[in-house]
């Protein structure tokens, strides 16, 4: 009963993708998830009586692996996403709103009017100052990636003379708005690396907002397919130890309750933080693991507010540069239908918010919301702060090379997770790519470890 072809630790998107791929090939898989629900950083769940999500997510139209994975799980994109052809940028202490179209195929007029319009906020000189910045950035991304990863996006923008308004209203939403880090700490390589895959697929560009909690509409259905194919998905099963044989090959895992599960392959598909804890004991001195064990991590913090009425006229991805509200959206007509009003906010500079109480955070957010023209103080019904303590690998300059491959030199051990080496950084697409890669490695590996005795495989 406790022997499997592959044991996968963690049922976030990376682990679920790997499980889906392997079970599709007839492999007997076991997924062990520490939390009560599957989905990891894309999960939705109830927190003290309020329905919350790990953080509001957007599907980017240029993703290629994730849609394939979802289709394999029988999930239709049009049923779980509503499509946005533009984004909004709110300006502090100003009632001006920048509306930027981003879908050449699905909303060409919005795109053209976005680029040519918004003149009060971005003068022609501001817009022109972005041209050498973007052209050189994409060139350096292709030709000098290591050099680019030595600079922050603040330094790179200064190098190419990006004007202050263009920097705050375009570069900051595309950096801090996505990954919470101040621009002084945000790698220029990550900035252009996230945009570059969109160029050849520009025609596909648009944004998908979820029509429901992500565990409900995406992750649980993926787990259900794995189970229908004779896989097993167990929640509330925190893995505390990797089991090794005398040859230092990984043969299974042990959970917090002392249960042992064995597999010919073990995929560690957790966050970087958990992976470090699991790998440090057996492989702390192994040269291959050194860079990943030293790879720094960064947090995220999210704030969600139930409101008496919608905070914004539309549910649309919105950015609030120069405030705590890095990016946010009203969600009462999309992800949290049925709520009278619902705001989900990714907090800029999360380290500042981790030590704060929800009440202290609410006060800062309400003040910033006011400054961005949203008068919601009287409408607050309930709120929650969700901290992601060091769930991300650091996207600061100089660290990208330290990310590990999915294939490890240790027999029986494969890695997956958004922090492992794949081109789309810490995204759902990146997590899916890592899961597909992990499954391919397992399917290709010759002479998998076979069980010999209770504690040993050869
Ligand atoms: C606030 C926020 C906003 C985001 N916005 C976007 C976005 O708009 N677009 C986008 O593409 N991406 C976005 N992301 C990133 C995206 O969510 C992640 O890149 C992706 O979900 C990572 O998946 P993963 O499987 O690698 O890791 P995770 O989802 O973290 O999964 C790891 C799993 O392992 C489990 N685990 C850990 N330790 C153990 C253990 N010892 N035993 C058993 N289980 C364990 C965890 O509980 C978790 O379920 C966002 C993330 C956050 C937090």
């Amino acid at each position: 009963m406790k022997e499997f072809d592959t044991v996968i630790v963690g049922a976030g998107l990376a682990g679920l993708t790997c499980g889906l791929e392997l079970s599709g090939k007839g492999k007997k898989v076991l997924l062990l998830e520490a939390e009560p629900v599957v989905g990891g950083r894309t999960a939705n769940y109830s927190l003290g009586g309020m329905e919350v999500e790990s953080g509001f997510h957007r599907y980017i139209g240029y993703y290629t692996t994730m849609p394939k994975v979802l289709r394999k799980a029988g999930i239709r994109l049009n049923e779980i996403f509503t499509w946005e052809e533009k984004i909004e940028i709110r300006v502090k202490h100003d009632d001006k709103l920048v509306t930027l179209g981003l879908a050449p195929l699905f909303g060409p007029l919005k795109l053209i009017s976005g680029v040519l319009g918004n003149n009060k906020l971005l003068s022609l000189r501001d817009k022109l100052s972005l041209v050498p910045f973007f052209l050189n950035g994409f060139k350096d991304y292709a030709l000098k990636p290591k050099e680019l990863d030595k600079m922050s996006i603040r330094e790179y923008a200064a190098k190419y003379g990006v004007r202050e308004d263009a920097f705050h209203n375009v570069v900051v939403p595309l950096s801090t708005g996505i990954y919470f880090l101040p621009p002084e700490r945000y790698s220029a390589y990550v900035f252009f690396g996230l945009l570059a895959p969109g160029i050849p697929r520009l025609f596909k560009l648009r944004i998908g907002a979820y029509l429901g909690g992500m565990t409900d509409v995406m992750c649980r259905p993926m787990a259900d397919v794995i189970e229908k194919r004779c896989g097993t998905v167990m929640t509330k099963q925190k893995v505390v130890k990797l089991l090794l044989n005398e040859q230092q090959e990984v043969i299974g895992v042990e959970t917090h309750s002392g249960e042992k599960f064995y597999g010919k392959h073990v995929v560690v598909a957790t966050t970087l933080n958990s992976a470090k804890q699991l790998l440090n004991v057996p492989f702390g001195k192994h040269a291959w693991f050194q860079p990943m064990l030293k790879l720094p991590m960064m947090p995220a913090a999210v704030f969600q507010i139930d409101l008496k009425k919608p905070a914004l006229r539309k549910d649309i991805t919105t950015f609030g540069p120069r405030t705590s509200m890095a990016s946010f959206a009203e969600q009462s007509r999309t992800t949290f239908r049925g709520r009278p009003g619902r705001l989900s906010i990714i907090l800029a500079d999360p380290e500042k918010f981790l030590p704060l109480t929800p009440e202290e955070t609410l006060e800062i957010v309400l003040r910033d919301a006011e400054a961005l023209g949203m008068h919601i103080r009287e409408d607050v019904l309930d709120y929650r702060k969700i901290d992601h303590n060091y769930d991300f690998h650091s996207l600061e300059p100089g660290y990208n090379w330290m990310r590990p491959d999915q294939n490890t030199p240790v027999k029986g051990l494969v890695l997956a997770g958004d922090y492992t080496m794949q081109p789309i950084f810490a995204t759902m697409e990146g997590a899916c790519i890592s899961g597909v890669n992990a499954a391919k490695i397992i399917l290709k590996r010759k002479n998998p470890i076979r069980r010999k005795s209770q504690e040993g495989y050869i």
Side-chain angles (χ1 to χ4, degrees):
M1 285 296 283
K2 291 183 178 172
E3 287 183 32
F4 297 83
D5 186 76
T6 301
V7 177
I8 300 169
V9 186
L13 266 182
L16 287 167
T17 299
C18 185
L20 199 67
E21 295 287 306
L22 291 174
S23 62
K25 299 281 178 198
K27 302 290 177 192
K28 191 178 160 198
V29 298
L30 167 69
L31 272 93
L32 296 170
E33 168 55 48
E35 298 296 329
V37 294
V38 297
R41 270 170 280 167
T42 58
N44 67 283
Y45 50 95
S46 170
L47 183 62
M50 179 172 154
E51 259 310 296
V52 296
E53 57 180 355
S54 277
F56 100 91
H57 278 65
R58 291 298 187 245
Y59 170 94
I60 316 294
Y62 72 65
Y63 290 172
T64 52
T65 301
M66 185 176 168
K68 281 187 203 142
V69 169
L70 295 186
R71 277 187 212 109
K72 280 187 193 173
I75 298 169
R76 294 206 176 103
L77 300 193
N78 286 338
E79 286 175 9
I80 66 166
F81 295 122
T82 174
W83 300 103
E84 295 177 347
E85 278 96 39
K86 56 180 187 176
I87 52 164
E88 284 186 353
I89 301 166
R90 290 191 160 248
V91 180
K92 201 172 171 182
H93 300 308
D94 201 322
D95 52 7
K96 286 175 205 135
L97 195 66
V98 183
T99 303
L100 291 179
L102 42 75
L105 182 68
F106 300 104
L109 293 179
K110 283 175 197 157
L111 181 79
I112 293 164
S113 68
V115 172
L116 299 180
N118 297 306
N119 291 329
K120 279 195 193 140
L121 217 67
L122 281 182
S123 68
L124 185 62
R125 282 183 72 195
D126 289 334
K127 288 177 195 167
L128 288 176
S129 79
L130 289 166
V131 176
F133 165 79
F134 277 109
L135 288 180
N136 283 291
F138 289 125
K139 194 178 87 195
D140 287 347
Y141 173 74
L143 302 178
K144 297 188 218 159
K146 280 193 184 144
E147 291 301 306
L148 195 60
D149 193 39
K150 285 183 187 150
M151 293 180 90
S152 74
I153 198 60
R154 179 49 126 173
E155 289 167 327
Y156 199 80
K159 182 175 168 184
Y160 286 101
V162 174
R163 289 165 61 86
E164 213 41 26
D165 277 349
F167 182 75
H168 282 287
N169 294 332
V170 177
V171 179
V172 170
L174 291 174
S175 52
T176 306
I178 297 175
Y179 280 123
F180 353 116
L181 273 174
E184 293 72 28
R185 290 169 54 198
Y186 195 104
S187 161
Y189 176 74
V190 174
F191 180 90
F192 291 105
L194 264 181
L195 301 177
I199 295 173
R201 295 175 59 79
L202 212 57
F203 68 99
K204 283 263 183 187
L205 211 61
R206 55 180 174 165
I207 290 180
Y210 280 88
L211 290 168
M214 284 170 278
T215 294
D216 300 339
V217 301
M218 180 173 76
C219 296
R220 191 62 242 175
M222 288 171 82
D224 290 343
V225 171
I226 295 170
E227 287 185 321
K228 269 192 206 128
R229 293 172 175 167
C230 299
T232 307
V233 182
M234 295 168 74
T235 54
K236 298 190 199 166
Q237 297 288 330
K238 182 171 178 172
V239 169
V240 292
K241 200 168 147 189
L242 298 179
L243 301 174
L244 275 66
N245 64 10
E246 285 150 11
Q247 290 78 38
Q248 296 298 293
E249 298 162 347
V250 176
I251 58 169
V253 301
E254 185 175 325
T255 65
H256 65 295
S257 58
E259 260 191 288
K260 291 177 181 169
F261 297 94
Y262 296 95
K264 292 176 197 146
H265 311 273
V266 171
V267 181
V268 173
T270 65
T271 51
L272 174 61
N273 202 5
S274 287
K276 283 187 185 188
Q277 285 165 25
L278 288 171
L279 297 169
N280 195 31
V281 176
F283 304 117
K285 294 207 168 78
H286 195 303
W288 189 89
F289 291 94
Q290 291 311 306
M292 82 165 267
L293 290 172
K294 290 184 188 137
L295 173 56
M297 294 171 289
M298 66 178 207
V302 174
F303 202 66
Q304 291 163 42
I305 315 178
D306 268 344
L307 295 159
K308 285 184 202 156
K309 59 178 195 284
L312 295 170
R313 238 168 7 93
K314 287 186 207 148
D315 289 20
I316 185 169
T317 308
T318 313
F319 296 91
R322 301 188 217 230
T323 72
S324 60
M325 302 172 72
S327 52
F328 56 96
E330 169 63 42
Q331 292 181 315
S332 54
R333 301 103 171 177
T334 46
T335 314
F336 290 92
R337 280 174 291 181
R339 304 267 152 188
R342 170 73 182 216
L343 209 50
S344 192
I345 302 150
I346 298 188
L347 297 166
D349 215 351
E351 273 119 346
K352 204 175 83 188
F353 287 95
L354 292 183
L356 300 190
T357 63
E359 290 67 33
E360 289 164 334
T361 308
L362 177 69
E363 205 34 58
I364 295 172
V365 167
L366 288 178
R367 239 183 289 137
D368 281 341
E370 193 76 29
L372 295 177
M374 295 183 293
H375 312 290
I376 55 172
R377 189 175 284 277
E378 303 305 319
D379 295 332
V380 175
L381 291 173
D382 207 352
Y383 52 89
R384 294 287 181 275
K385 174 165 162 269
I386 290 140
D387 294 336
H388 292 273
N389 286 303
Y390 302 95
D391 275 355
F392 289 85
H393 74 276
S394 174
L395 299 174
E396 295 187 48
Y399 298 134
N400 192 59
W401 70 274
M402 298 166 91
R403 296 164 63 200
D405 198 74
Q406 290 82 31
N407 204 358
T408 80
V410 174
K411 207 166 175 183
L413 177 67
V414 177
L415 303 178
D418 62 352
Y419 72 89
T420 59
M421 199 52 102
Q422 43 74 19
I424 323 286
F425 304 96
T427 58
M428 298 184 285
E429 169 78 352
C432 291
I433 294 174
S434 77
V436 168
N437 287 353
K440 278 188 190 154
I441 291 161
I442 288 169
L443 292 169
K444 265 195 215 150
R445 272 194 180 174
K446 295 205 172 78
N447 307 322
I449 304 164
R450 281 180 294 115
R451 179 95 186 256
K452 193 174 93 177
S453 64
Q454 188 57 29
E455 289 296 315
Y457 287 75
I458 50 169

